[in-house]
Amino acid sequence: MIFETLRRHPALLLLTGGLLAGCAPRSAAPPPSATPNLTTVIVAGSTDLSDPLDLRRQATVGQRTVNGTLSEVWAVLPAVFAQLGIEITRIDSGEGVIGNPGYRARRVEGQRLSRFLDCGRSFGRDYADHYSVTLAVLVQLVPAPDGGTVVRTVLDAYAQDPSRSGGAVHCITWGSLERRIGEIVAERLET
């Protein structure tokens, strides 16, 4: 479902050239270049109403500017993903992208998924905690205009009732995971 949504909505991709085209090895990669090929980003909460964003069907992008060079921030990202409990399956140092384009998630940083996602609920049960959730978390680094580095996080998720064969439910992010990634990056840069 994530792949289908991204294919139907190319504006969700952080960069051209296919964000989901293969997985790089988990070996250490060189830091991203200073001029990534960023073309289109949809930022949740944008004030541009000419192209409304339906969060029920699209991934969201959160961002935070941190004090640190691209190389410094790139160096701490593997530890950030390890702390969150998200396996890195995508590394593209040329575009400054790292993360996982889709995996079966149970918890993030030891927390229930309902802390980060709203997949609906019924009879007091959050689907995010009781359904099979496919979560995509990708981070791209770009130089900030006034110095530092912008950490952009794309988050998308779907929940499927494991006892039924029906379609999956698209989850809406609370924005807390995107903020948390920025916080952890900033904390690790300070140490």
Side-chain angles (χ1 to χ4, degrees):
M1 286 294 238
I2 290 173
F3 300 112
E4 180 181 320
T5 300
L6 291 173
R7 186 175 52 241
R8 285 183 297 168
H9 302 286
L12 296 178
L13 297 177
L14 278 176
L15 44 110
T16 59
L19 188 60
L20 302 177
C23 295
R26 293 189 62 178
S27 63
S33 64
T35 56
N37 184 17
L38 183 69
T39 57
T40 305
V41 175
I42 298 173
V43 179
S46 172
T47 58
D48 180 10
L49 300 178
S50 63
D51 189 20
L53 178 64
D54 184 355
L55 291 178
R56 294 170 297 172
R57 294 192 182 95
Q58 297 184 15
T60 59
V61 178
Q63 66 182 33
R64 176 178 176 158
T65 301
V66 295
N67 292 323
T69 66
L70 286 169
S71 296
E72 292 168 338
V73 178
W74 185 257
V76 302
L77 284 174
V80 171
F81 277 90
Q83 181 175 334
L84 294 170
I86 300 172
E87 179 183 4
I88 296 171
T89 59
R90 172 97 164 99
I91 298 173
D92 184 340
S93 60
E95 298 294 338
V97 175
I98 189 170
N100 194 317
Y103 74 103
R104 296 285 184 199
R106 291 231 180 262
R107 291 183 173 265
V108 173
E109 200 175 15
Q111 301 291 319
R112 299 174 76 127
L113 293 179
S114 59
R115 178 172 181 227
F116 306 104
L117 302 170
D118 180 3
C119 301
R121 65 193 52 76
S122 178
F123 302 109
R125 291 177 30 156
D126 286 314
Y127 294 156
D129 298 329
H130 298 284
Y131 280 17
S132 177
V133 175
T134 301
L135 179 63
V137 181
L138 294 163
V139 172
Q140 183 181 37
L141 304 180
V142 293
D146 299 329
T149 300
V150 177
V151 178
R152 289 190 175 137
T153 304
V154 174
L155 181 74
D156 201 11
Y158 286 87
Q160 171 92 33
D161 185 346
S163 65
R164 296 192 173 170
S165 61
V169 176
H170 190 262
C171 303
I172 300 171
T173 177
W174 295 116
S176 53
L177 182 53
E178 298 91 325
R179 283 189 302 275
R180 184 67 183 134
I181 289 171
E183 288 170 4
I184 297 171
V185 168
E187 289 167 6
R188 289 188 175 271
L189 288 172
E190 291 175 2
T191 59

